[in-house]
Amino acid sequence: GRLVALTAAFSVTPVFAQSGTTPAAVASTAPDLTGDGWRYSLGLGAFVAPKYPGASGNRFQPAPLVGVGYSRLFFGSVPDANVPFGVGAYLYRDSHIRLGVALSYDLVKPRAESEDPHLHGLSDIERTAHATLFASYNANWLSVIGAVSQDIGGQHEGATASLDLLGKYRPTSQLTLTFGPGVTWGSS
């Protein structure tokens, strides 16, 4: 599933923070992540995905997005990586370009055989841990996010690669709305 439908993020920045960040799937609306202070974010997103891989019907699920960062490290919603919950570090970052790595775990079970009669005889797709390498470019109103993830939890769930193009609109300084298309490729 993709966490790039319509999302809204409310950035909470305490007095001692360098800058606020926004969670994954809202494409880092923070103007500057180059400082080494604390960053906090709180947001709400919509998770829209097929009921199971290959299904014609979709499921809708609200998704809380919470993140905490210090210097190059972050925990929770991973900025710029389309990872709803994980831990990671930036390898490079400036005011527009970010490159990093993250470790995450599936919060929602990808597929259960019992979800649909068409799946009988197929095994469940189990939750697993993922290693992700990501890069993003962020302009005032546009973000481009690319990520490659690999199953590292031993569940044989393969790899995925994604590319998202997101437009951003800020009706207030504490509210950012993003929307845009994305594409995902998955291995067997």
Side-chain angles (χ1 to χ4, degrees):
R2 307 290 303 147
L3 192 62
V4 293
L6 182 60
T7 58
F10 302 89
S11 198
V12 180
T13 309
V15 173
F16 54 87
Q18 292 283 335
S19 66
T21 65
T22 54
V26 292
S28 281
T29 56
D32 180 20
L33 284 179
T34 58
D36 288 330
W38 286 96
R39 298 174 310 277
Y40 300 89
S41 64
L42 174 63
L44 178 64
F47 191 141
V48 179
K51 290 182 181 178
Y52 56 87
S56 60
N58 290 321
R59 66 179 170 168
F60 173 84
Q61 182 175 346
L65 303 169
V66 178
V68 175
Y70 183 77
S71 185
R72 295 187 176 272
L73 306 175
F74 47 79
F75 174 78
S77 297
V78 181
D80 306 308
N82 282 330
V83 175
F85 189 80
V87 60
Y90 289 105
L91 303 175
Y92 175 81
R93 62 191 172 148
D94 65 23
S95 60
H96 296 288
I97 298 171
R98 296 177 188 113
L99 174 68
V101 294
L103 297 174
S104 64
Y105 191 77
D106 293 326
L107 296 176
V108 176
K109 185 173 177 117
R111 183 189 76 203
E113 182 178 356
S114 61
E115 288 182 46
D116 190 281
H118 293 98
L119 300 175
H120 290 295
L122 300 175
S123 60
D124 292 350
I125 297 177
E126 298 299 330
R127 295 177 193 198
T128 191
H130 303 273
T132 301
L133 175 64
F134 62 89
S136 69
Y137 174 79
N138 300 286
N140 289 337
W141 61 273
L142 177 72
S143 291
V144 179
I145 303 170
V148 176
S149 294
Q150 173 67 46
D151 171 10
I152 59 169
Q155 296 294 333
H156 308 289
E157 299 303 335
T160 61
S162 65
L163 181 64
D164 297 323
L165 179 65
L166 301 174
K168 298 180 282 189
Y169 172 65
R170 295 189 82 168
T172 72
S173 64
Q174 297 296 310
L175 175 63
T176 301
L177 303 173
T178 64
F179 188 80
V183 62
T184 299
W185 169 86
S187 70
S188 58

